[in-house]
Structure formats: structure tokens, C-alpha cells
Amino acid sequence: QKEVEQDPGPLSVPEGAIVSLNCTYSNSAFQYFMWYRQYSRKGPELLMYTYSSGNKEDGRFTAQVDKSSKYISLFIRDSQPSDSATYLCAMSASSTLGRLYFGRGTQLTVWP
Amino acid sequence: EAQVTQNPRYLITVTGKKLTVTCSQNMNHEYMSWYRQDPGLGLRQIYYSMNVEVTDKGDVPEGYKVSRKEKRNFPLILESPSPNQTSLYSCASSFIGTGELFFGEGSRLTVL
């Protein structure tokens, strides 16, 4: 079993939709959770960084962590065509990152 | 401009011919790491480094070597490349504790 599971999609939604992206994990030691966005032929860029359980909001993006269920989510409100990209979850047991585990990535297309 | 620079960006080589992929960052980051990205498998960590002369194995270190003699550079060495090392390789760096990895543009390696 992989440490981090993420449905690769693809996911296709109309502009303005609410998008929900999810990852599950098996290692209860993970405490630091990240979401990265990767445009085609580019390196990933950090979207959200959260510690432990709870919610974090940044503009149209909300990250949720449920450690009891070993489940993290990224919600995108009012999705735009410019949100079309691959979204990768990542997690670590340490604040120094060290060993870092990524999901496979979910490919999202937002059509106008 | 703050950046992570990888070279070469594209390389085709033959089995057994030693090669080095260089990675350099100009942000004074302590943490640097290497990943390979394969279809359906996402990003997998090869090695990481917490600082000069401090390196450690990630998820898939077999067949790779690294060194960290200077803070800004973190080369990836393939002593005897094999076709199963054909992949997109990405280098990333960050300040320890931020969770924000800065990625290079990637190096696409083909081993024949």
C-alpha cells in the first residue's frame, strides 16, 4: 500500500463549479500537509501548507485535514479555466520536511 | 531572480554511461531534494539534504548518488544508468520549516 493515495482523475468541471480534491494516507505520523499545483511542463508550486487537523483558507482555496480519518481535502470555489492543472498532495512527519511523500496527482480541467 | 536551475534539461544517454544532473539554487535554502516523476506514479523522493554534508535516502534511492558540498548545489549522479531510470527528474529547495518547496523546471532523461 502506498503511503499516500490520490485519485488521478481526470476531473473535468465547468467554470464556477466547486472542486473537491482528496488524498488519504496510512502513516499516522504525518502532521504536515501540503497541496501543490503543477501546470503542464512546469515544476509544482505550493498552494497550501497546513499543520495537524483543521481548516485553512486562502482566497478561493480551502484545505482541510482530518487526522482521525487520515484524509485531506482541497476545495476550490468559483473555479476558473486558469485552475486547470495537476494538483498534488504531499505530507511529512516532520516540520523540517525530510522524507516527503506525494500523491499521484489529480488532473483538473475547468472548461469555460 | 530567485530560482532553482537544473542542467541538462533534456538528455538521451546509453546504459552504463555515468551522468550527473546538476541542481543549483540562489535562495540560500538549507533543504534540497531530488524527485523522479513517472506517469501514474507521481513524484517520488530520491534523496534529500538538510544542509551541507547532510544527505539522506528518500523513497527510491537505488541507483542514484548525491552530494552536498556547497549549500547552493545538490547534484544527482547516476553511476550506471539503466532504462528503468528513464524519467523526469526534479530538484527542489526550501527553507527548513516552511513547507514551501521551490522546484526547478525538470530534467527529462532517456536511457537507451
Side-chain angles (χ1 to χ4, degrees):
Chain A
Q1 183 188 6
K2 268 181 71 72
E3 298 268 6
V4 181
E5 298 283 357
Q6 182 177 9
D7 187 337
L11 190 58
S12 181
V13 301
E15 184 174 356
I18 296 175
V19 176
S20 172
L21 304 166
N22 312 295
C23 290
T24 59
Y25 62 95
S26 57
N27 188 343
S28 57
F30 289 152
Q31 294 197 75
Y32 299 88
F33 305 92
M34 290 140 274
W35 285 96
Y36 282 83
R37 178 176 61 196
Q38 185 173 23
Y39 290 115
S40 182
R41 302 186 188 281
K42 295 288 188 183
E45 300 170 306
L46 181 70
L47 271 179
M48 302 287 278
Y49 174 53
T50 55
Y51 166 69
S52 197
S53 284
N55 294 359
K56 183 175 182 179
E57 190 173 317
D58 184 0
R60 297 185 294 111
F61 299 91
T62 299
Q64 281 188 355
V65 175
D66 181 349
K67 288 190 68 182
S68 62
S69 301
K70 297 191 181 71
Y71 187 87
I72 69 170
S73 301
L74 178 71
F75 296 96
I76 307 174
R77 289 183 301 280
D78 187 26
S79 55
Q80 303 294 309
S82 58
D83 294 328
S84 298
T86 297
Y87 290 80
L88 301 128
C89 63
M91 45 196 84
S92 173
S94 169
S95 64
T96 62
L97 292 184
R99 285 287 294 272
L100 188 59
Y101 298 86
F102 280 85
R104 291 189 293 171
T106 299
Q107 187 180 342
L108 170 68
T109 300
V110 182
W111 42 275
Chain B
E1 181 189 352
Q3 58 187 2
V4 178
T5 304
Q6 295 179 226
N7 280 295
R9 293 287 315 281
Y10 302 92
L11 179 65
I12 300 174
T13 189
V14 295
T15 299
K17 186 176 182 182
K18 180 179 178 179
L19 68 93
T20 299
V21 186
T22 64
C23 174
S24 182
Q25 51 94 3
N26 63 0
M27 295 168 278
N28 202 34
H29 287 161
E30 304 96 349
Y31 181 89
M32 297 186 74
S33 56
W34 275 104
Y35 303 85
R36 59 179 292 173
Q37 192 167 15
D38 302 291
L41 295 177
L43 279 161
R44 291 181 292 166
Q45 192 180 50
I46 303 171
Y47 270 96
Y48 64 94
S49 170
M50 304 298 285
N51 214 323
V52 175
E53 303 291 3
V54 181
T55 63
D56 213 339
K57 296 177 181 178
D59 234 2
V60 288
E62 297 80 18
Y64 306 95
K65 285 176 59 176
V66 293
S67 68
R68 187 96 181 270
K69 293 184 168 45
E70 302 167 288
K71 196 171 187 179
R72 62 184 292 128
N73 295 324
F74 191 43
L76 179 70
I77 302 155
L78 285 73
E79 294 265 358
S80 183
S82 62
N84 65 12
Q85 292 179 296
T86 292
S87 187
L88 176 65
Y89 290 89
S90 294
C91 177
S93 69
S94 80
F95 288 118
I96 286 178
T98 66
E100 183 170 15
L101 283 171
F102 290 83
F103 282 82
E105 294 283 301
S107 297
R108 187 163 293 282
L109 171 66
T110 301
V111 183
L112 301 175

